[in-house]
Amino acid sequence: VLLATLHSTQIALADTIELEVYHINSYHSGPYPINMNTGDAVGDLFFDLKMVLMAPLTCADPKTYFHKDCQNKETNSPDLVVNKLHLHVHQPLGGYALCNVGLANNTDEFGHACRNGTYCCLCGHVLEQDIKPCNATVGRENVKERMDWPVLSFCNTSAPDWMCWQTKLSEKLSDLNPGWWYSTLDYGYCPHHAYGGPNCTWQVTSVDKIVNKTCHEDSFFSAIEAYNTACFEACGASRNVSSPCWTRCFYTAVLGPDAGRPGGRVSGIPTGEIVSAWLRPFQSEDSLKGGCPALPIAERA
């Protein structure tokens, strides 16, 4: 159901595509992804699996390679929500920009200047410190290609199980449905260009639904727990997602019992069923069906 149609600014339809995207962020930041990263359902699910849900294990390790992810405010802010929206995007698409929220020290988690609580984007090969100027083009990244790391370089005999899970998550993705991440910068936001022109590259056409992250997780986790009830029940009568026991049961269900060790194959719940479970909160408001109530959508000035 279309909940809100936004902005009258138009871009020529002949050279545009419509994208259905999702985004996890703080509710107070709003659903409009200006200087933010979004993803299709598979891409945002991958972000959830890699950055958010594994945190009880990855962030507890002082030597973790992924310590920067632990500072990401899109993983630990108290008012997190999941947004579903549609974009009109001008082609061609370009290189993906890495967008993050400024920390209390007025830098992003990579140490680049970024005012606390605001979104800042870096273009180029950020992890390799090869920073390039950004432009108005909407960026796109193939998640499977980006995350197909050499497993043996991280998942070895001295590695913890979560390190093997981190490096094997991309095996749940396929070449036909690899997951996509998008970057939409203020340079190209069409309402900032009153007369259109070459820098008008994207706009929000609808915000379909915003759901509280806690409700989303309750729905998603309930679906995953149903695949491996004995393991989860052994962790205690109530769900404790910060518990290493619960987290290990979760990834054993998603990736299979052998994926947490070197040479162990990836199996677990079929990817399509994981995606369907992750999308349930958007499909209704009936909690018995895994639905979540829609939060109010604030109009952006």
Side-chain angles (χ1 to χ4, degrees):
V1 177
L2 185 65
L3 297 184
T5 300
L6 308 157
H7 298 307
S8 59
T9 306
Q10 297 296 316
I11 40 184
L13 298 180
D15 54 359
T16 65
I17 53 175
E18 182 169 316
L19 300 177
E20 179 180 282
V21 297
Y22 299 82
H23 180 48
I24 299 169
N25 70 339
S26 295
Y27 184 55
H28 72 266
S29 296
Y32 298 80
I34 299 173
N35 287 338
M36 298 182 190
N37 297 137
T38 59
D40 65 359
V42 174
D44 218 40
L45 165 63
F46 188 92
F47 174 85
D48 219 1
L49 293 176
K50 181 182 184 300
M51 306 284 195
V52 183
L53 306 181
M54 209 180 293
L57 297 177
T58 59
C59 298
D61 187 338
K63 298 180 180 179
T64 177
Y65 176 81
F66 303 98
H67 69 278
K68 291 183 173 63
D69 296 341
C70 303
Q71 303 175 63
N72 190 333
K73 290 186 177 181
E74 292 184 340
T75 71
N76 55 34
S77 292
D79 63 340
L80 287 179
V81 295
V82 190
N83 308 281
K84 176 186 177 182
L85 54 154
H86 281 80
L87 309 178
H88 267 151
V89 173
H90 196 287
Q91 300 189 92
L93 303 183
Y96 181 72
L98 190 62
C99 302
N100 289 291
V101 189
L103 305 174
N105 64 354
N106 293 311
T107 71
D108 65 14
E109 57 243 50
F110 297 96
H112 298 276
C114 185
R115 186 164 55 87
N116 183 31
T118 65
Y119 275 86
C120 305
C121 299
L122 295 171
C123 299
H125 302 286
V126 177
L127 299 181
E128 293 81 9
Q129 296 298 313
D130 181 19
I131 309 300
K132 306 290 186 185
C134 294
N135 57 38
T137 306
V138 172
R140 179 174 67 176
E141 181 138 79
N142 181 309
V143 178
K144 180 173 174 58
E145 289 181 0
R146 176 66 178 174
M147 295 297 168
D148 258 343
W149 296 334
V151 171
L152 294 179
S153 64
F154 294 102
C155 181
N156 50 52
T157 54
S158 63
D161 49 8
W162 62 260
M163 181 67 80
C164 293
W165 293 331
Q166 280 273 357
T167 57
K168 293 179 181 180
L169 272 172
S170 62
E171 293 185 38
K172 299 293 286 190
L173 308 178
S174 68
D175 292 336
L176 289 177
N177 198 5
W180 295 100
W181 287 339
Y182 301 97
S183 54
T184 45
L185 277 60
D186 57 354
Y187 301 134
Y189 185 48
C190 289
H192 289 174
H193 304 280
Y195 301 102
N199 286 331
C200 168
T201 61
W202 70 278
Q203 67 181 35
V204 176
T205 55
S206 68
V207 177
D208 302 299
K209 193 173 184 180
I210 305 172
V211 300
N212 182 279
K213 187 69 165 64
T214 301
C215 181
H216 186 280
E217 288 181 344
D218 184 59
S219 172
F220 181 47
F221 294 163
S222 295
I224 300 301
E225 287 168 342
Y227 285 88
N228 195 5
T229 55
C231 184
F232 288 105
E233 289 173 354
C235 294
S238 60
R239 178 189 295 151
N240 180 5
V241 299
S242 63
S243 158
C245 177
W246 187 93
T247 304
R248 287 190 164 93
C249 288
F250 179 88
Y251 283 94
T252 297
V254 168
L255 295 174
D258 301 320
R261 58 180 177 82
R265 73 182 186 92
V266 173
S267 56
I269 306 170
T271 301
E273 295 179 27
I274 300 172
V275 175
S276 294
W278 195 85
L279 289 173
R280 288 197 312 170
F282 298 100
Q283 293 167 350
S284 79
E285 299 200 2
D286 184 348
S287 62
L288 297 178
K289 297 179 181 179
C292 286
L295 296 178
I297 300 168
E299 178 67 70
R300 187 180 183 92

